Amino acid sequence: MVQKEVVYVVSDSVGETAEFVVKAVATQFNGGHVEIRRNSYVDDFEDIEDVMILAKKDHSIIAYTIVVPSLKEYLDRRASEEGIMAVDLLSPLMNAFTTKFNKEPHHQPGLMRKLDEEYFRKIEAIEFAVKYDDGRDPRGITRADIVLIGVSRTSKTPLSMYLAHQRFKVANVPLVPEVQPPDELFQIPRKNCIGLIISPDKLNEIRKERLKALGLASQANYASFERILEELDHAEKIMKRVGCPVINVSNKAIEETAGLILEILKKERSF
């Protein structure tokens, strides 16, 4: 039986990066005969001393990804004193970044994992916004961070997607006189809901353009002033009943409205 060589992977975070690099290198040397022993979340000198004892006993290599300067310097010094080969997998590239871009690294462990977690939260929020768009499933109302309500063409869907990219789970519900709003809308805290209103003239203009884009007559009831006033009156009554903050989106860009929504939520939730 062939004796496996041992490589100690040491990291002040999880250590996945170092292990991946070691495995990639090991494949070039009949990698099946290399045993990787991972030491994660190393955050003090005692942890490093423990690894030194083991690495010296096994006559092994230490491959490390440590970004905290004091720990890195201590590991380098102790490895040199003990005659252990220690390979820094990050510093050469970090030094190149510093030289090329004239910026200093944060020296903070776990930042890549934090970025990964934020990415997956964003994907989850986007999927949520798609699933609970346009009142498709009222269960989303009670699960959402933000619920947007308003008549058709008040930018509920684009706002939902924009806020989802900021990692907020958003559901939106259209308010139509002929359709009773879902009961869930009156069960959530008022601070979770935002009403979107718009001037009749602006809504008339937007709806006419929408009909034109669909190849339909601009005189359709959807764009008539009578219908618009009826819808806006109905929406205002629902918003008053919910007791939610209201934003007029008449002449606002999506980014501006989203900023106002986040300001309102921050203020409402601070009490």
Side-chain angles (χ1 to χ4, degrees):
M1 184 176 178
V2 179
Q3 178 71 32
K4 285 188 176 182
E5 299 291 348
V6 177
V7 176
Y8 283 88
V9 164
V10 180
S11 176
D12 46 18
S13 184
V14 180
E16 290 174 339
T17 301
E19 183 169 346
F20 182 82
V21 173
V22 170
K23 283 181 177 177
V25 172
T27 58
Q28 303 297 318
F29 299 90
N30 296 324
H33 301 309
V34 174
E35 180 181 343
I36 299 172
R37 298 178 184 172
R38 193 199 293 187
N39 295 263
S40 304
Y41 302 110
V42 170
D43 59 4
D44 59 36
F45 299 150
E46 287 185 13
D47 291 335
I48 292 174
E49 285 298 331
D50 291 340
V51 175
M52 288 295 157
I53 293 169
L54 295 170
K56 188 171 183 178
K57 175 175 173 289
D58 293 326
H59 306 287
S60 59
I61 296 171
I62 295 175
Y64 70 88
T65 52
I66 291 181
V67 296
V68 177
S70 59
L71 291 176
K72 171 190 157 34
E73 289 165 9
Y74 186 81
L75 190 153
D76 284 340
R77 179 171 62 80
R78 291 293 294 119
S80 177
E81 290 170 354
E82 297 294 340
I84 299 169
M85 184 177 291
V87 182
D88 182 352
L89 300 177
L90 293 183
S91 287
L93 190 55
M94 287 178 68
N95 291 338
F97 269 54
T98 300
T99 302
K100 180 65 177 176
F101 305 124
N102 196 28
K103 290 184 179 179
E104 289 296 321
H106 294 295
H107 297 298
Q108 182 180 337
L111 288 182
M112 189 167 73
R113 178 162 288 273
K114 183 179 179 182
L115 287 173
D116 286 345
E117 288 171 357
E118 288 181 356
Y119 171 77
F120 287 116
R121 278 203 302 271
K122 180 167 75 172
I123 296 301
E124 185 181 4
I126 291 170
E127 290 174 347
F128 187 96
V130 171
K131 184 175 182 179
Y132 298 111
D133 181 45
D134 207 33
R136 288 177 190 165
D137 185 343
R139 289 177 298 180
I141 295 172
T142 56
R143 299 171 183 171
D145 299 316
I146 305 169
V147 179
L148 304 178
I149 59 175
V151 301
S152 173
R153 314 316 294 177
T154 49
S155 302
K156 295 186 301 299
T157 296
L159 272 169
S160 296
M161 295 307 297
Y162 184 92
L163 290 166
H165 277 81
Q166 311 300 314
R167 298 177 295 283
F168 290 97
K169 293 181 179 178
V170 186
N172 72 77
V173 180
L175 300 180
V176 185
E178 294 78 15
V179 180
Q180 188 69 19
D183 293 337
E184 288 84 352
L185 194 59
F186 306 102
Q187 296 168 1
I188 60 172
R190 63 179 294 278
K191 65 179 180 293
N192 288 8
C193 187
I194 298 288
L196 306 175
I197 61 171
I198 190 170
S199 71
D201 289 335
K202 186 66 177 178
L203 186 55
N204 176 254
E205 178 187 328
I206 292 171
R207 288 190 174 182
K208 279 184 177 179
E209 287 298 318
R210 177 62 176 163
L211 290 171
K212 192 186 297 182
L214 294 172
L216 302 173
S218 60
Q219 291 80 22
N221 188 46
Y222 177 70
S224 73
F225 255 97
E226 290 76 17
R227 173 63 183 180
I228 285 171
L229 291 172
E230 180 187 3
E231 287 188 34
L232 291 174
D233 182 61
H234 170 74
E236 186 179 348
K237 289 176 181 175
I238 297 298
M239 291 173 195
K240 284 182 178 177
R241 185 178 163 195
V242 173
C244 62
V246 175
I247 296 175
N248 191 323
V249 301
S250 298
N251 296 299
K252 291 183 176 64
I254 298 298
E255 297 83 356
E256 185 181 1
T257 305
L260 289 172
I261 289 171
L262 296 180
E263 281 181 24
I264 289 171
L265 291 176
K266 186 177 179 181
K267 194 178 297 182
E268 287 282 334
R269 295 175 184 182
S270 65
F271 290 106

